[in-house]
Structure formats: structure tokens, C-alpha cells
Amino acid sequence: MERVDVLNERLSKANLKLTKARKAIWETIASAAEPLSIPQIMNRAKKMCPSLGLVTVYRTLAVMEKAGLIKLFQTKDGSMGYVSSVLAAESHHVQCIICKKVVEFECTGMEDTIRAVEEKTGFCIERHNLELFGICPSCMKKSLQK
Amino acid sequence: MERVDVLNERLSKANLKLTKARKAIWETIASAAEPLSIPQIMNRAKKMCPSLGLVTVYRTLAVMEKAGLIKLFQTKDGSMGYVSSVLAAESHHVQCIICKKVVEFECTGMEDTIRAVEEKTGFCIERHNLELFGICPSCMKKSLQK
DNA sequence: CATCTAATTGAAAAAATTTTTCATTTGGAG
DNA sequence: CTCCAAATGAAAAATTTTTTCAATTAGATG
């Protein structure tokens, strides 16, 4: 299924129209590797839809967020941006609570935890984010030296 | 260790002063059960420090975020708020990607995953957040009916 | 405990962001 | 093709955040 079909499916369910502005904004967010800020979305989407106004960006983001198409996400530098929730990759990282460094890791062994939650809650789970917090090796070393 | 000592320790390391405003804001955030918005922080902290200005709230939040004392966090309704990162409770929830309902669950069986990450990254992990996304039982039922 | 200094503060102003209003345009059902 | 509700852009309004600056304060030093 094409990206634009995902958009169309969700919009039409809610009696919403598939417009040029919405297509441009959706393509912008869905094709980005990182969460995008509102000005970034505006700039990139305007290339596909030159008449696009900032007001429409705000309104479209609200619509898409409600429709579950996008999601507000914290980037590694602490600021917020939008990502596609349909195509969003899973996120697994560990962050140092002292120096704030972020390290990604490959996440294994979650199957049992997830299955247990599915049984307990009745949800059918599609994806997960796991954020770990701790102290990185170099901060650990420094704190021992004091 | 008292809450205010945690604050003092981190501030003094960075040559920052322990002021009435900072104490009030810290107590406000550290004693809250939920992430607090900036207006909420302002209102609550003002009770402990009546002269507090909104500008100081902004500046103090920036200082505390940099110092690793607090963290921007997404609340269940999607808005953002600040939580104490030192005392923050772990968060485990599953959210329906359709109706947005959030259900907390008791998280078990993470020990192996965490130990594996500690070995791979060298971090000493203190706590974790696990967010699961899927479809809740009632949305599942509805989608089958169509 | 009095003095000193850099850090911090609050108020006002400025800047930036977000929302509202409204007349016009557009998607898509019939 | 026609029609109408939904969507749009521009301008204005409202709200949020940042900057500036003079006054105050924490806490180090003597």
C-alpha cells in the first residue's frame, strides 16, 4: 500500500478530504527520518504545495494527530517534532542521566513481556518504544574518581 | 537525602545558587504525580514563593533541564509537561493507536533485556520507560464488524 | 557578621508561535 | 456538471516565550 493510501483511508473514514495540502504534509512527515518541527514541515511541504499557508500546517497537524497518523516525539536534543506513527520505526535507546548522551541498541528478548501484556490487557500490540536511563561508562568513571 | 539536597548538589556543582524561586519550582515538580505544564508550575510554585515571575519559571526550567533535574514528558492526553528525572517513577503503558486509550500495566520480565543492554553498552541502567502501541479490544471488535 | 560580586530576579517590552475569524476555493458525492 | 460541506489562505488576535535592564540576593571572603 502506498503512503498516500494510508492517508486516504484514515481521512475518508473520518469524512475528511484528501487535499493537496494534506498530501504534501503527509509525504513530508512520512518520508522524514527524524521528527520534524513545524517550521521544517512548512518549508518542505511548501515545495510540493507552493500555496500552502502556515495556518493549514497547524490545522493539518491537529487533524492528523487526532486521526492517529502522526505523533509528537521528542528528538535527541530534547526538542519536539512530529513523526509518522503508521510508519514509525521502533525506538530503543539508553540515555545517560548525567551527560545526556544517547546510545541506540538492538532490542531483544521483549517477546515475553509483550505477550504477557497482550494477555493481561487484551490489546494487540504492534510496536514499542523502550527508553532506558542510567549512567554511561565515562560518567561512571568520573564519579568514581572524585 | 532530602529533595532539596538533590537540587543543591546539582546546582552547586555548576556554580548555581540555591534560591527561593528554584526551591519552590523544584518542590513543585518533584512532588507532583503527573507531568506539569508551565502554567501549572507557575501557579503551584507561586504559593511557596509569591513574588515568583513567569520569566523566572522559564529560566529555571531551562537550568534544571540542563542540569538533568527535570525532563520534558508527554502526558497521556498528548500534551507536554515537566517531571523530575531524579525521582521520576517508571512508566509502563500501552496505548491504542485508534481511540488513544491508555492502559497502565505492571512490567515484568525486563531484567534480561536490561542486563543485555548493560553488557552491550556499558551503561549502568537505573530505570526505564516502556511504551507499547497497538489496538485495544474494543477497537479490534469494531474493525472486525466493518 | 559586614562587605563584595557575580548570579538571579521581576517587570516591561519585544519577538515568536499559535489560534481565530472570515471570505474564497476545492474535493468529491450525487 | 452541480452543489455543498469541508478546507484553504490571509489578516488579525491571542498566547507563549525570549530579551533587556535595573534592582535584589546568595553565598564566598575577610
Side-chain angles (χ1 to χ4, degrees):
Chain A
M1 185 154 68
E2 294 284 330
R3 269 205 296 254
V4 69
D5 298 327
V6 175
L7 175 66
N8 195 18
E9 191 190 313
R10 298 256 184 134
L11 290 178
S12 59
K13 267 189 194 164
N15 255 43
L16 298 168
K17 294 178 181 173
L18 182 63
T19 65
K20 248 178 294 175
R22 285 171 181 173
K23 265 186 259 183
I25 291 167
W26 175 240
E27 282 300 324
T28 300
I29 295 173
S31 68
E34 291 285 309
L36 298 181
S37 68
I38 288 173
Q40 284 176 319
I41 293 167
M42 175 66 183
N43 288 336
R44 300 190 191 186
K46 211 173 169 103
K47 285 175 193 160
M48 287 179 261
C49 175
S51 70
L52 184 66
L54 186 55
V55 197
T56 299
V57 175
Y58 277 99
R59 284 188 286 222
T60 302
L61 292 175
V63 164
M64 290 184 178
E65 191 165 23
K66 231 183 206 168
L69 286 157
I70 61 172
K71 198 175 138 55
L72 203 52
F73 217 78
Q74 197 163 22
T75 59
K76 279 147 208 172
D77 68 332
S79 60
M80 303 300 299
Y82 287 93
V83 294
S84 152
S85 45
V86 177
L87 306 161
E90 303 201 329
S91 154
H92 310 105
H93 61 256
V94 51
Q95 180 169 32
C96 177
I97 57 175
I98 297 174
C99 71
K100 307 294 178 298
K101 184 170 60 193
V102 173
V103 176
E104 301 287 333
F105 58 86
E106 225 190 308
C107 188
T108 56
M110 293 290 297
E111 297 74 19
D112 290 348
T113 300
I114 288 174
R115 205 161 313 120
V117 174
E118 285 184 324
E119 274 180 31
K120 266 185 266 184
T121 64
F123 273 66
C124 172
I125 292 167
E126 292 189 356
R127 61 192 180 79
H128 67 271
N129 291 331
L130 179 60
E131 282 186 307
L132 304 178
F133 299 94
I135 301 176
C136 75
S138 95
C139 286
M140 187 85 76
K141 212 172 145 189
K142 278 182 209 152
S143 76
L144 289 173
Q145 286 168 349
K146 279 179 192 163
Chain B
M1 186 154 72
E2 293 285 330
R3 269 202 298 253
V4 68
D5 298 328
V6 176
L7 174 66
N8 195 18
E9 191 188 314
R10 298 253 184 138
L11 291 179
S12 60
K13 268 189 195 166
N15 255 41
L16 298 167
K17 293 177 181 174
L18 181 63
T19 64
K20 248 178 294 176
R22 286 173 180 172
K23 265 187 259 183
I25 292 167
W26 174 242
E27 283 299 325
T28 299
I29 296 173
S31 68
E34 292 285 310
L36 297 181
S37 68
I38 288 173
Q40 285 176 318
I41 293 167
M42 176 65 183
N43 288 336
R44 299 189 193 185
K46 210 172 168 104
K47 285 175 192 159
M48 285 179 262
C49 177
S51 70
L52 184 66
L54 187 54
V55 197
T56 299
V57 174
Y58 278 99
R59 284 187 288 222
T60 302
L61 292 174
V63 164
M64 289 185 178
E65 191 165 23
K66 232 184 206 168
L69 286 157
I70 61 172
K71 199 176 139 53
L72 203 52
F73 216 79
Q74 196 162 22
T75 59
K76 280 145 209 172
D77 68 333
S79 60
M80 304 299 298
Y82 287 94
V83 294
S84 154
S85 45
V86 177
L87 306 160
E90 304 201 328
S91 153
H92 310 104
H93 61 256
V94 51
Q95 180 169 32
C96 178
I97 58 176
I98 297 173
C99 72
K100 308 291 178 298
K101 183 169 61 192
V102 172
V103 175
E104 301 286 334
F105 58 86
E106 224 189 310
C107 189
T108 55
M110 292 291 296
E111 296 74 19
D112 290 348
T113 300
I114 288 174
R115 206 162 311 121
V117 175
E118 286 184 324
E119 274 179 32
K120 268 186 267 185
T121 63
F123 273 65
C124 172
I125 291 167
E126 291 189 356
R127 61 193 180 80
H128 66 270
N129 291 330
L130 178 60
E131 282 186 308
L132 303 177
F133 299 94
I135 301 175
C136 74
S138 95
C139 287
M140 187 86 76
K141 210 171 146 190
K142 279 180 210 154
S143 77
L144 289 173
Q145 285 167 350
K146 277 181 191 162

